[in-house]
Amino acid sequence: MKRVFAIADDLSGAAETAAAFMQFSAQTEQERGQGLVKTARIVLVPVDPGDTEFEHPGHTCVVFDSDSRRLDAKSASVRLEALVQRIPEGNESICVFLKVDSLLRGHMSSDLGVLLTRGPVVLAPALPALGRGTIGGVVHIAGVPLHESSLWSNEGRTVPATIAEAIAPLASLLVELSAVRGGARELGRVLGVLAEQNAIAICDAETAEDLDLIVAAAMSGENAQLAGSSALGAALFRALDEPRLVCSSGIDRSEEGMLDISPPIEVSLRPVVARKPVLFVIGTTSAASRMQLEALAASGVCMVTMNPAELLGGGADSAALRTALLAGPVAVSLSATEVDAAASRALSAALAEFVSPFASQAPLVLTGGETARAVLNSLNIHWLEPLAEIEHGAVLSRTDRNTLVVTRPGSFGGPDSLCTILDHIHSYLSAEPETPRKAH
């Protein structure tokens, strides 16, 4: 059985990747009769990446959150190099996957440059489940080119018009959709030529089937490494998966109705009378998150809105949060409609420091990778084991301290996303045995 070593630059991306693996890992060791159980673990890389626990025996998929999105490009490369250097060379039983942002954020060029030192790289950032495809080397969101959208408004830099521009000055060549769909042999030949030229193959894709074709062609070559969104990770896991019994539940990840076997969580349609405390920490200030918070407030959840200046100045009063958590779920968010990109790291740290005295007292819902990582760092948490994907990108995990946390990218989810997450947590808590199982 092959193992996957995946690397993401933030926590929500790492959890999204692990959740994609879970879609194909429901069978037990007994059902398969093999020594390695198909499970995933998310590892939070520490300040010194050399201190990272790397092997994690018994886990087929290990996803490392390098926590490098918040760093400058040079520092991010150093962290990634420290992880990549520990991956055994020439081991055909290991697959390497670099999770990149489907909107091309982060240190795309330097990250891919590090991966390219190991061998050929095939890049496909499409995320069909969210309507994000690539056509002619340009990312489109529901048909709108990325550079014509407002999705980079908080990035503090100019949005790249093409994927090639985002990864410059690395050498790259475009594999257009016609070539992706032109047959496995021809696609494999094209990828092989690009590998010989030490150029990154940028592959167009619109559907999950396109991503399956890309993975199949890449794996037919030698030492090919894959880089893309969690959807490309899902295609990799499908390709590695062996024939299995099928059970239905969870998230359908493709428009073709691909079978999904993520662990089920039953959600009651009846109103929850006595809601247990759950702490939401909303680090993003996007318009979508505002709508989600409004829906959560309308459902009766207490809102604690923080002023960024007070948080950064250390003068924020936690009395309201302390009192509210005694009564039930609480959502902590920022009053600003926009946060300067240069201040986001300091603000995430300040927000984590503010909530940390209460964060171990209740299940957590953390949106935004930087915020999520800052909060978990404050709790001295080292790894997570995913339990279920509630909706795309919203992953329920158990920590090494036997607590529950849901992570989700800040830009994901519809208006009722936070309400859906809360319902699932309460249903999970209701179904959980009185004596929780120990983390392992």
Side-chain angles (χ1 to χ4, degrees):
M1 182 185 296
K2 287 183 178 288
R3 295 190 76 195
V4 175
F5 286 120
I7 302 174
D9 65 1
D10 73 353
L11 180 55
S12 57
E16 189 185 354
T17 303
F21 174 82
M22 286 171 57
Q23 307 299 312
F24 312 99
S25 60
Q27 283 200 323
T28 66
E29 179 180 7
Q30 290 75 26
E31 287 173 326
R32 290 183 175 272
Q34 299 183 17
L36 188 63
V37 182
K38 296 190 70 178
T39 56
R41 175 172 283 183
I42 303 161
V43 178
L44 280 58
V45 176
V47 174
D48 182 353
D51 294 336
T52 306
E53 184 185 352
F54 192 79
E55 284 296 333
H56 296 271
H59 293 275
T60 324
C61 178
V62 184
V63 187
F64 297 93
D65 166 26
S66 68
D67 191 29
S68 60
R69 176 83 66 89
R70 60 186 177 81
L71 303 177
D72 60 77
K74 183 176 181 180
S75 300
S77 290
V78 170
R79 289 180 69 77
L80 185 57
E81 285 172 358
L83 292 174
V84 166
Q85 287 171 0
R86 296 179 65 183
I87 300 174
E89 295 282 352
N91 189 333
E92 295 183 357
S93 67
I94 293 176
C95 294
V96 178
F97 175 69
L98 179 68
K99 195 275 181 189
V100 303
D101 187 71
S102 61
L103 299 179
L104 310 183
R105 297 169 298 190
H107 306 296
M108 293 270 294
S109 177
S110 58
D111 287 355
L112 288 168
V114 171
L115 201 63
L116 198 57
T117 62
R118 286 192 79 254
V121 177
V122 177
L123 172 63
L127 185 54
L130 295 188
R132 299 174 183 178
T134 57
I135 306 168
V138 177
V139 173
H140 288 71
I141 300 91
V144 178
L146 175 62
H147 59 279
E148 295 179 9
S149 74
S150 61
L151 293 172
W152 267 53
S153 59
N154 290 335
E155 289 301 303
R157 54 197 176 103
T158 303
V159 57
T162 65
I163 301 170
E165 183 180 329
I167 69 172
L170 297 178
S172 65
L173 286 172
L174 174 64
V175 181
E176 295 184 339
L177 200 57
S178 58
V180 169
R181 297 174 178 175
R185 179 174 297 180
E186 176 61 16
L187 178 55
R189 186 194 68 79
V190 171
L191 295 182
V193 169
L194 294 180
E196 291 175 359
Q197 297 176 0
N198 202 36
I200 292 178
I202 300 174
C203 296
D204 278 348
E206 289 185 307
T207 66
E209 184 179 35
D210 294 334
L211 296 174
D212 287 334
L213 294 171
I214 292 166
V215 168
M219 292 183 68
S220 68
E222 294 185 5
N223 304 318
Q225 303 167 105
L226 291 164
S229 73
S230 61
L232 187 68
L236 170 61
F237 303 139
R238 286 195 293 274
L240 297 178
D241 195 42
E242 302 166 57
R244 51 177 161 71
L245 297 173
V246 173
C247 61
S248 60
S249 66
I251 312 298
D252 182 354
R253 282 183 167 265
S254 79
E255 48 281 298
E256 287 84 11
M258 180 186 69
L259 288 171
D260 180 343
I261 57 169
S262 60
I265 294 181
E266 297 298 329
V267 181
S268 172
L269 298 178
R270 294 174 296 180
V272 178
V273 178
R275 288 184 164 186
K276 298 179 181 179
V278 175
L279 178 58
F280 291 77
V281 185
I282 311 301
T284 180
T285 58
S286 67
S289 70
R290 293 291 164 194
M291 293 179 64
Q292 293 165 3
L293 282 167
E294 288 172 4
L296 198 62
S299 74
V301 172
C302 178
M303 299 286 120
V304 175
T305 306
M306 307 305 303
N307 182 290
E310 290 183 357
L311 278 174
L312 292 170
D317 185 0
S318 62
L321 175 57
R322 180 182 295 106
T323 302
L325 271 174
L326 295 174
V330 183
V332 178
S333 64
L334 302 172
S335 61
T337 55
E338 272 189 30
V339 173
D340 184 81
S344 66
R345 180 179 176 184
L347 190 53
S348 293
L351 185 58
E353 183 179 357
F354 176 76
V355 302
S356 62
F358 315 99
S360 61
Q361 301 174 15
L364 297 173
V365 179
L366 309 174
T367 70
E370 190 171 30
T371 298
R373 183 59 191 264
V375 172
L376 296 184
N377 282 349
S378 73
L379 299 175
N380 199 31
I381 287 169
H382 302 101
W383 49 258
L384 311 174
E385 290 193 349
L387 301 172
E389 186 172 40
I390 297 170
E391 59 181 31
H392 188 89
V395 182
L396 173 67
S397 300
R398 190 177 295 278
T399 75
D400 57 350
R401 292 182 173 267
N402 205 29
T403 57
L404 295 176
V405 59
V406 175
T407 54
R408 198 208 67 190
S411 63
F412 282 23
D416 293 327
S417 176
L418 298 180
C419 294
T420 300
I421 291 170
L422 180 60
D423 286 343
H424 277 75
I425 290 175
H426 279 139
S427 294
Y428 186 91
L429 292 173
S430 298
E432 197 176 34
E434 290 186 9
T435 303
R437 67 174 178 85
K438 294 182 178 180
H440 51 83

